[in-house]
Amino acid sequence: MVTVNQQRVPRKRIYLMCSPEHFAVEYAINPWMDVTAPVDTELAVKQWDRLRETLVGLGHEVCLLAPEPGLPDMVYAANGAFVVDGTVYGARFKHQQRAAEAAVHRGFYASPDWRFIAPNETNEGEGDFAYLPEAYGGLILAGYGFRTELPAHAEAQEALGRPVVSLRLVDPRFYHLDVALASVDDGNVVYYPGAFSAATQKVLAQLFPDAIIADDDDALAFGLNLVSDGANVVLNSEATRLAGRLRAGGYTPVPVELAELKKGGGSVKCCIAELRP
């Protein structure tokens, strides 16, 4: 069981974000996207700004990726790459509508500070990869079933030198791992069992016996699409029940409103890539 009111210690993070100034729902590549629903881009920018300010207010560093016209999903910066200890495993998007985003992200890492590895396999960065540095010596959880292809898990393991555990997603509403599971600290996770196959649920239960379990309402409110520094958990304000469960586990929920960006099928974590130098 999770220890109630356990003292949690935050760790400073470095994040990458991209303003939604060109955000729109111009196509539908996940069940949440509705091209007939109007998007208020100005409101999306305001909500995104509030998210960025929240992260900075918690003591984290936020780097910015310049948005480009014609790439309306660039705000979902988590999907462009996956970084572990200075090594960058690049993205290769499943859908042509987002393919050009990969090159923009690669450009961001074009410096001696980063070791960039170009992918041969289809993967969508931190959308389908999560890193827990204190779990089993450093563990990567990797989703597949809708976007990232299973061979990318082996490619990521070779690129990053960390063991990768493959987790099968079975519900199209939870098309990326980051809308079904998140790290709450460097060694533990929160997840929604219904997003995963029965066998994967058993694997998660074995690996993380103290995990926080989310229910249907939490998951459908994009509550699992969160970021945590080990103590403060920034999550969608609609996920009130999950906020209570996190609080009971000793974490401090920090709710943010992202209704406009939810129209594209994402929330807090989709907007944030973690940079791990």
Side-chain angles (χ1 to χ4, degrees), residues 11-274:
R11 177 169 63 80
K12 180 181 177 180
R13 310 294 174 118
I14 305 173
Y15 295 125
L16 178 66
M17 298 179 67
C18 181
S19 171
E21 59 188 71
H22 303 300
F23 175 65
V25 179
E26 299 175 348
Y27 44 78
I29 58 174
N30 68 60
W32 304 95
M33 301 177 85
D34 179 358
V35 296
T36 67
V39 171
D40 186 334
T41 303
E42 183 178 352
L43 179 57
V45 172
K46 288 181 179 178
Q47 292 176 347
W48 177 89
D49 273 334
R50 180 59 184 151
L51 172 60
R52 179 183 55 81
E53 291 165 0
T54 298
L55 296 171
V56 173
L58 290 170
H60 305 300
E61 180 180 347
V62 176
C63 302
L64 297 177
L65 186 67
E68 295 201 1
L71 296 176
D73 279 344
M74 269 192 68
V75 64
Y76 303 124
N79 303 147
F82 178 49
V83 186
V84 175
D85 293 343
T87 298
V88 184
Y89 177 52
R92 184 176 181 180
F93 287 86
K94 178 179 177 67
H95 295 101
Q96 185 60 36
Q97 293 95 326
R98 299 194 66 185
E101 294 179 41
V104 183
H105 281 265
R106 181 170 186 168
F108 175 83
Y109 296 105
S111 81
D113 296 332
W114 305 104
R115 174 174 174 255
F116 187 91
I117 297 178
N120 293 312
E121 305 294 343
T122 298
N123 83 90
E124 299 198 349
E126 277 200 333
D128 273 322
F129 290 107
Y131 181 53
L132 289 95
E134 293 183 5
Y136 304 95
L139 187 68
I140 294 171
L141 302 179
Y144 73 101
F146 298 102
R147 298 290 186 84
T148 295
E149 299 292 339
L150 191 56
H153 296 185
E155 189 173 62
Q157 181 167 277
E158 288 300 307
L160 300 169
R162 299 288 187 278
V164 175
V165 175
S166 297
L167 307 174
R168 184 184 172 204
L169 297 161
V170 296
D171 186 330
R173 296 173 299 177
F174 308 104
Y175 58 94
H176 272 155
L177 182 67
D178 71 0
V179 292
L181 175 149
S183 62
V184 284
D185 54 44
D186 289 341
N188 201 14
V189 298
V190 55
Y191 67 96
Y192 171 57
F196 300 96
S197 69
T200 294
Q201 291 179 39
K202 292 179 181 178
V203 170
L204 286 169
Q206 180 175 331
L207 290 175
F208 302 103
D210 294 329
I212 296 173
I213 304 300
D215 63 19
D216 294 38
D217 290 342
D218 298 328
L220 293 172
F222 279 82
L224 292 156
N225 196 237
L226 58 80
V227 295
S228 174
D229 60 16
N232 305 292
V233 182
V234 183
L235 77 165
N236 194 296
S237 58
E238 296 177 34
T240 54
R241 190 175 307 179
L242 180 58
R245 293 179 181 185
L246 290 164
R247 189 176 294 107
Y251 301 93
T252 301
V254 183
V256 293
E257 172 61 58
L258 285 178
E260 286 306 300
L261 293 172
K262 187 179 174 184
K263 293 176 180 178
S267 187
V268 175
K269 180 65 185 83
C270 286
C271 295
I272 302 167
E274 185 170 347

